[in-house]
Amino acid sequence: VLQAPDGTVTIVLDSKPINNGSARLGTTDSGQVVQLSDDWIRSVLNELDKTSDAYRAVKAGLDNDTLVKGVIGVDKATGQGTLIRVDP
């Protein structure tokens, strides 16, 4: 979780292997909830300490629609680091 110093933008990143510039997000066992979706993030928030800075930043980002989601990783074929913005 990263946040702009003024709190206007919060970024949640997940790490994944990158293949040809793309990554695959997982789903829950039921296949209904995709990683980094708002429902998935809410589920993860339920596991965090509600007084933590990370919880407050992500919750505020969800509530005011300023949460940015992304995947970061290294493409094994090229060795290049890649950041992909996602909107599941």
Side-chain angles (χ1 to χ4, degrees):
V1 175
L2 307 166
Q3 189 176 51
D6 65 0
T8 57
V9 177
T10 302
I11 301 170
V12 173
L13 294 176
D14 194 359
S15 62
K16 297 283 181 194
I18 307 293
N19 295 305
N20 297 319
S22 66
R24 183 179 196 114
L25 297 176
T27 59
T28 58
D29 290 338
S30 66
Q32 298 291 320
V33 180
V34 176
Q35 283 179 318
L36 294 175
S37 67
D38 288 352
D39 287 342
W40 184 84
I41 290 173
R42 283 186 190 95
S43 177
V44 172
L45 281 177
N46 287 331
E47 304 298 319
L48 295 180
D49 176 356
K50 291 178 179 32
T51 64
S52 72
D53 291 339
Y55 177 92
R56 289 193 302 259
V58 172
K59 177 84 168 74
L62 277 175
D63 290 348
N64 62 29
D65 202 29
T66 60
L67 189 64
V68 176
K69 306 164 195 172
V71 172
I72 191 165
V74 174
D75 189 316
K76 290 182 180 182
T78 65
Q80 294 290 330
T82 302
L83 175 61
I84 304 166
R85 186 172 179 163
V86 297
D87 189 20

